[in-house]
Amino acid sequence: MGVTIKDIAKLANVSHTTVSRALNNSPLIKENTKRKIIEIANQLNYSPDVHARSLVLQKSYTIGLFLTRLSNGTSSSFLAETIKGVNSVIDENYNLYVRGIQDFQDFSAITRKRFDGIILMSQSDIDNAFIYHVLEKEIPLVVLNRQVEERSIVNVLSNDQEGVYEAINLFIENGHRNIALIEGTSHFRSSQERKEGYIKALIDFKLPILQEYMVKGNYDMESGYKAMKKLLALENPPTAVFCSNDDMAIGAMKAVNDAGLFVGADFSIIGFDDIGFSEYTSPALTTVKRPIEKISMVGAQKLLQLMDDVIEENEPIYLTTNLVKRQSVVDLNKKNS
Amino acid sequence: MGVTIKDIAKLANVSHTTVSRALNNSPLIKENTKRKIIEIANQLNYSPDVHARSLVLQKSYTIGLFLTRLSNGTSSSFLAETIKGVNSVIDENYNLYVRGIQDFQDFSAITRKRFDGIILMSQSDIDNAFIYHVLEKEIPLVVLNRQVEERSIVNVLSNDQEGVYEAINLFIENGHRNIALIEGTSHFRSSQERKEGYIKALIDFKLPILQEYMVKGNYDMESGYKAMKKLLALENPPTAVFCSNDDMAIGAMKAVNDAGLFVGADFSIIGFDDIGFSEYTSPALTTVKRPIEKISMVGAQKLLQLMDDVIEENEPIYLTTNLVKRQSVVDLNKKNS
DNA sequence: CTGTTAGCGCGTTCAT
DNA sequence: ATGAACGCGCTAACAG
């Protein structure tokens, strides 16, 4: 069934070693025989047995892409962009093994033999245990999206705090003073980062920090909807709400609409991520663009380097967010004048 | 670095053969020694070398999940649901290799050795070449989402035509007569299926089929937006539009809004897929739910069976779509009365 | 430049 | 019930 180098060797009247070398383009082989061997290989439609090669080379040609979870709190676009980003960088000879960490009972199957390298799209502190395991096994590791204490780890992420700060700043420029926050999943690091950006901005602009203006969500649309309902029911409701991701912003917009108000006219919302849909909501959603696909690409590139040379500079790499202004923020200055 | 069965053998004062058998729970080994060996293995944190095992067992523990493309025409939710569905069925010992077919120059790397089985989420006829290759290599194959001629292939899909028919039916029940269609990517089979459902319904209800009411799109939001603009600019614009997927429906809704009209009041839209967002558009989008995650799960299960027993019944498996009625369809009967 | 030999880690006859 | 020897397909020393 499978053609092996031995088969080729027979036909070419050489040893299987010569075939191996020829196919690997070794300079030790005469151009002539090399050509002959390659010819035969093509004719026989030969393709090497990856497992035999892996076994002797101690290399698996497999990269593990792990997310904290695959469902519940991981939006589709987040997952898709991550995979696309990584896939666009690593070549087809590599297997890309995609899993959620939560799927694992124990990590005994995560070995150096099995993975040449691991990319962790980390959303929460709860995968620290995973990180330690990988570190202990000395598998090259890149952690994306969440700052990690260990200096030895390559870390690629976006500066969420700054992004949120800009968003709040935009609200303030537009005359808003009652600015609320819908938070992400509580133990996700990103939720905390964004909350801190919110609080920092309020402090800098000397605005009061109100408990009732900080409502918990869990990054899905429904939670955004519910959170907004709560805010709207307040005695002194906000005029503007920052949502910790776009999914929740879309839920929130729905709640505003259901209350008979119009986003962009009566009420202001800013989201986070800039998923594809945010351009097509009505009105189009102003949001903080987070470069997930870019982060994944850079992360994958870093991992490839790490697998080769062992790079030293382990400074976290920050990719900047940027504020995409669309139509979901009301300018109170104009409105009142 | 890596613990092997030989290491365990030494410590247990047995041969590596015995260790192998013990770890594979062979009945040939005394319970006593078996326990001892397992004990040592745990202590040493042993985990088998997958490549060595693959080499000797001729089994790769890898399942290939291929999509026609990963970007351009493949929506995020589609990709994400597919992966989630497959992942939920296959256990963690399996690698899941995810790729777009378009990434491949040639298929020589797609071998029986490398993949125990392949799931193809097929979106277009253009991957027929891929299918033939896989078939020729005798790799167990399940094709999802698109009907395939070969009887020998396990085929899991949804009955799109019927789903669309139901949607058009709903329009008609609500008094609509000028019903347009926004089509999906032109060479995708799903686009044709849905178009056929549309035409079939029009014929059955004795409505005229107008060229100008069938506008091409490519499954992304922007194309839906543009297509709707065209329809709105018609001399005799439709009152209702079926969009071949939800992404385009969302684009179309945006176009309606931009024209100063209100979906659900002045204009009717139905989408296809029921992606997460469609519940949160304003108004909530009526749509034909297609069970992508379910299809993927069933497909994965079938593949596992196929890899074991070689199942015979190769009838295509149809999973039913169902119409999710929300608020994007106007009832003309009520309105006019 | 090419061939001989060995070995990667594992499972599997064939002995005993 | 256990072990010795072999082979999966490949690469890498070591000769020549």
Side-chain angles (χ1 to χ4, degrees), chain A residues 78-144:
Chain A
F78 186 82
L79 175 60
E81 285 194 45
T82 303
I83 292 175
K84 287 177 194 169
V86 173
N87 244 328
S88 70
V89 171
I90 66 171
D91 79 86
E92 298 104 51
N93 293 325
Y94 275 90
N95 281 341
L96 185 64
Y97 173 94
V98 183
R99 276 287 178 176
I101 293 179
Q102 64 168 7
D103 288 349
F104 286 83
Q105 307 293 341
D106 69 314
F107 300 141
S108 57
I110 314 293
T111 64
R112 162 110 215 194
K113 288 270 181 56
R114 183 138 175 222
F115 297 100
D116 290 344
I118 286 180
I119 298 174
L120 170 61
M121 179 55 92
S122 180
Q123 298 155 279
S124 163
D125 291 347
I126 59 173
D127 37 45
N128 279 344
F130 178 80
I131 293 179
Y132 288 130
H133 175 88
V134 174
L135 242 39
E136 193 194 347
K137 294 281 183 182
E138 297 187 333
I139 308 173
L141 171 67
V142 171
V143 176
L144 269 36

Side-chain angles (χ1 to χ4, degrees), chain B residues 14-15 17-18 21 28-30 33:
Chain B
V14 293
S15 76
T17 311
T18 305
R21 286 201 263 251
L28 296 176
I29 305 295
K30 233 192 319 188
T33 51

Side-chain angles (χ1 to χ4, degrees), chain A residues 58 99 159 176 178 202 235 268 285 335:
Chain A
Q58 305 274 41
R99 276 287 178 176
N159 200 329
H176 294 274
N178 297 326
L202 291 192
E235 245 183 85
S268 298
L285 180 67
K335 200 181 176 184

Side-chain angles (χ1 to χ4, degrees), chain B residues 41-290:
Chain B
N42 284 337
Q43 216 145 16
L44 262 47
N45 225 314
Y46 168 80
S47 87
D49 185 312
V50 284
H51 305 116
R53 180 181 273 172
S54 290
L55 180 58
V56 61
L57 255 31
Q58 305 275 43
K59 198 169 177 319
S60 67
Y61 294 96
T62 297
I63 288 176
L65 172 60
F66 291 85
L67 285 87
T68 304
R69 312 163 163 178
L70 247 33
S71 324
N72 301 333
T74 301
S75 68
S76 292
S77 55
F78 187 81
L79 174 60
E81 284 194 46
T82 303
I83 292 175
K84 286 177 194 169
V86 173
N87 244 328
S88 70
V89 172
I90 66 172
D91 79 87
E92 299 104 50
N93 293 326
Y94 274 89
N95 280 343
L96 185 66
Y97 173 95
V98 183
R99 276 288 177 177
I101 293 178
Q102 64 167 6
D103 288 350
F104 286 81
Q105 307 294 340
D106 69 315
F107 300 142
S108 57
I110 314 292
T111 65
R112 162 110 214 195
K113 289 271 181 57
R114 183 137 175 222
F115 297 101
D116 291 343
I118 285 181
I119 298 174
L120 170 61
M121 179 55 92
S122 179
Q123 297 155 277
S124 164
D125 292 347
I126 59 172
D127 37 45
N128 278 343
F130 178 80
I131 293 180
Y132 288 130
H133 175 86
V134 174
L135 240 40
E136 192 193 348
K137 295 280 184 182
E138 297 187 331
I139 309 174
L141 172 67
V142 171
V143 176
L144 269 36
N145 196 43
R146 182 175 71 89
Q147 181 137 29
V148 144
E149 319 301 331
E150 311 298 318
R151 280 304 206 71
S152 58
I153 299 178
V154 178
N155 212 193
V156 184
L157 34 86
S158 59
N159 199 330
D160 290 10
Q161 266 197 44
E162 267 183 31
V164 177
Y165 193 96
E166 265 190 273
I168 306 299
N169 189 26
L170 181 67
F171 277 147
I172 290 171
E173 280 177 8
N174 282 284
H176 295 273
R177 292 298 174 267
N178 296 327
I179 303 168
L181 166 74
I182 297 180
E183 303 177 31
T185 309
S186 56
H187 59 281
F188 275 23
R189 181 61 191 245
S190 58
S191 313
Q192 296 160 26
E193 285 288 330
R194 291 167 206 178
K195 185 173 184 174
E196 281 168 33
Y198 164 82
I199 291 176
K200 189 150 178 282
L202 292 193
I203 292 175
D204 280 8
F205 290 103
K206 304 192 195 315
L207 258 28
I209 294 162
L210 305 175
Q211 270 315 320
E212 55 183 14
Y213 275 8
M214 300 186 290
V215 186
K216 295 201 186 313
N218 64 11
Y219 282 142
D220 71 20
M221 290 177 278
E222 194 186 347
S223 72
Y225 182 84
K226 286 182 179 162
M228 181 56 88
K229 287 236 160 187
K230 273 189 208 159
L231 286 170
L232 255 19
L234 251 33
E235 247 184 82
N236 181 27
T239 62
V241 173
F242 171 76
C243 301
S244 295
N245 79 346
D246 283 354
D247 286 48
M248 293 196 300
I250 286 166
M253 289 176 80
K254 179 79 177 170
V256 172
N257 280 325
D258 283 5
L261 298 172
F262 290 97
V263 175
D266 313 312
F267 204 88
S268 298
I269 290 183
I270 297 182
F272 199 97
D273 277 351
D274 193 30
I275 61 173
F277 285 105
S278 42
E279 193 179 342
Y280 286 91
T281 54
S282 290
L285 181 67
T286 294
T287 187
V288 180
K289 182 180 178 64
R290 180 171 56 146

Side-chain angles (χ1 to χ4, degrees), chain A residues 194-219:
Chain A
R194 292 166 204 179
K195 186 172 183 175
E196 281 168 31
Y198 165 81
I199 291 177
K200 191 152 176 284
L202 291 192
I203 292 176
D204 281 8
F205 291 103
K206 304 193 196 316
L207 258 29
I209 295 162
L210 305 175
Q211 270 317 319
E212 55 182 15
Y213 275 9
M214 300 188 289
V215 186
K216 295 202 186 311
N218 63 12
Y219 281 142

